[in-house]
Amino acid sequence: MKAAIIYFSGTGNTEYVCKLFKKYFEENGVSCVLIDVSKKKQLNDDYDFYIFGAPIHSELFPKNYVDWVKQNIKQGDKKCIIFSTQASDKAAGPFEIFNILKEKGYKVLIQDFISMPNNYYVVAFKKPTEEDIKKAKQEADKKVKLLVKKFLDDEINIVKVSKFRFKLAKIVYKMFYEYSKGWAKRNLSVDMKLCVKCLKCVKNCPTKNIKFSNDKFEFQNKCISCQKCLHACPTNAYIYKGKRIDQYKI
Ligand SMILES: Cc1cc2nc3c(=O)[nH]c(=O)nc-3n(C[C@H](O)[C@H](O)[C@H](O)COP(=O)(O)O)c2cc1C
């Protein structure tokens, strides 16, 4: 059996959980391919089942992820798993993908939430401590192991949020999405004394929001606030509101 783990990850939390799914499925003889939607344009269909995972941004999955799933997942009747990573215990995001997949004919066996450290601390709340990160990783490991077992036993595990929460989340996300577009432009700059021009930020931005020309960085109006550029910079050259940041490393 062969599965595709289709994901997006801004700062590595979701990718970490995807690797746990890969590890536990492979221990059970299922080979898994990790597919990062910000790098892969198309999907071939030769997988037995799918695992969908993304971070929560303002209660929902990022729009780029939802759009990718809508466009690239063809009609079918395969089994799947949907999970989100978020700082709290639940969010409305997986429900949106659940509806899209259901319409396409898929059977969602597992829909669940994996709590991971908050990667948005540059803007809101505190930076997670080493201990918080260690604990979250241990809990995620236990949960993923259990979810893989349930899936292989054909057990249904759908953890829902209310329809009201989802409807409200859609309204709030719309506002967040508009606000987010200019987030990098308004708040970020790059310290050119530290920048080594590796252009990792330019190449890895999921919306191609960062341009580099004439020795200068320019941010467009397509930011989704995923935090990838500032935390993945190898020399920590990114500046938020005029200040250096303490980078997130999982
Ligand atoms: C823009 C933004 C909005 C977020 N909104 C929420 C939220 O509404 N609820 C929540 O629990 N966590 C929220 N988070 C935290 C992330 O969902 C969490 O840290 C996630 O595991 C990050 O995954 P990643 O490293 O794969 O990007 C938010 C993070 C960002 C960057």
Side-chain angles (χ1 to χ4, degrees):
M1 272 214 288
K2 197 171 155 199
I5 306 178
I6 297 164
Y7 76 101
F8 170 67
S9 185
T11 58
N13 285 350
T14 311
E15 188 170 69
Y16 179 83
V17 175
C18 289
K19 287 181 180 164
L20 291 176
F21 273 105
K22 182 172 163 69
K23 172 182 150 196
Y24 286 116
F25 271 118
E26 294 196 337
E27 278 182 14
N28 284 280
V30 179
S31 70
C32 291
V33 176
L34 290 172
I35 296 172
D36 176 346
V37 304
S38 62
K39 297 198 174 119
K40 188 107 177 158
K41 295 265 173 294
Q42 276 171 341
L43 182 74
N44 52 29
D45 204 23
D46 58 354
Y47 299 99
D48 298 295
F49 65 91
Y50 293 121
I51 299 154
F52 296 92
I56 292 298
H57 288 173
S58 185
E59 269 291 294
L60 293 181
F61 280 154
K63 189 176 176 303
N64 61 318
Y65 184 74
V66 177
D67 288 346
W68 195 97
V69 172
K70 273 189 198 156
Q71 279 158 23
N72 289 285
I73 301 295
K74 302 185 192 94
Q75 295 287 123
D77 60 357
K78 288 171 187 167
K79 291 178 189 166
C80 22
I81 294 177
I82 307 169
F83 77 90
S84 61
T85 72
Q86 69 293 311
S88 55
D89 61 338
K90 270 188 182 183
F95 190 57
E96 189 166 21
I97 296 290
F98 179 89
N99 288 339
I100 295 167
L101 293 174
K102 212 174 137 197
E103 245 177 55
K104 289 178 187 274
Y106 289 80
K107 294 187 209 93
V108 181
L109 255 57
I110 308 278
Q111 179 180 301
D112 216 328
F113 311 94
I114 318 267
S115 295
M116 290 298 281
N118 172 30
N119 71 340
Y120 201 33
Y121 59 86
V122 166
V123 177
F125 307 108
K126 273 197 345 225
K127 184 177 192 253
T129 62
E130 290 292 317
E131 195 51 36
D132 295 334
I133 297 173
K134 192 174 154 199
K135 216 169 146 202
K137 282 161 91 173
Q138 283 167 349
E139 291 301 314
D141 192 289
K142 276 192 252 165
K143 189 152 187 180
V144 171
K145 191 175 182 183
L146 184 69
L147 294 177
V148 167
K149 185 181 179 317
K150 285 186 178 182
F151 183 84
L152 292 171
D153 289 345
D154 251 348
E155 215 180 292
I156 292 180
N157 178 105
I158 308 283
V159 186
K160 289 183 182 166
V161 294
S162 70
K163 281 204 173 114
F164 173 74
R165 182 166 174 173
F166 178 63
K167 277 188 183 157
L168 189 64
K170 290 285 277 181
I171 298 166
V172 175
Y173 186 84
K174 226 177 186 173
M175 293 190 282
F176 162 76
Y177 184 71
E178 288 307 315
Y179 155 86
S180 201
K181 283 179 182 172
W183 184 81
K185 200 179 209 168
R186 288 192 303 273
N187 297 304
L188 302 183
S189 57
V190 178
D191 182 344
M192 294 310 291
K193 291 194 287 300
L194 290 177
C195 176
V196 289
K197 296 176 196 163
C198 65
L199 303 188
K200 202 173 167 186
C201 54
V202 175
K203 290 176 212 147
N204 289 334
C205 172
T207 60
K208 304 280 169 263
N209 189 49
I210 311 167
K211 301 269 176 267
F212 184 74
S213 62
N214 300 327
D215 240 21
K216 263 170 66 184
F217 285 93
E218 218 178 90
F219 300 95
Q220 318 291 301
N221 275 312
K222 297 187 286 184
C223 180
I224 56 164
S225 299
C226 73
Q227 313 289 296
K228 188 171 250 182
C229 53
L230 48 162
H231 293 288
C233 173
T235 58
N236 198 9
Y238 267 75
I239 309 270
Y240 171 74
K241 289 190 174 175
K243 287 191 192 140
R244 298 285 302 283
I245 66 142
D246 190 1
Q247 284 181 314
Y248 180 69
K249 301 282 172 229
I250 182 172

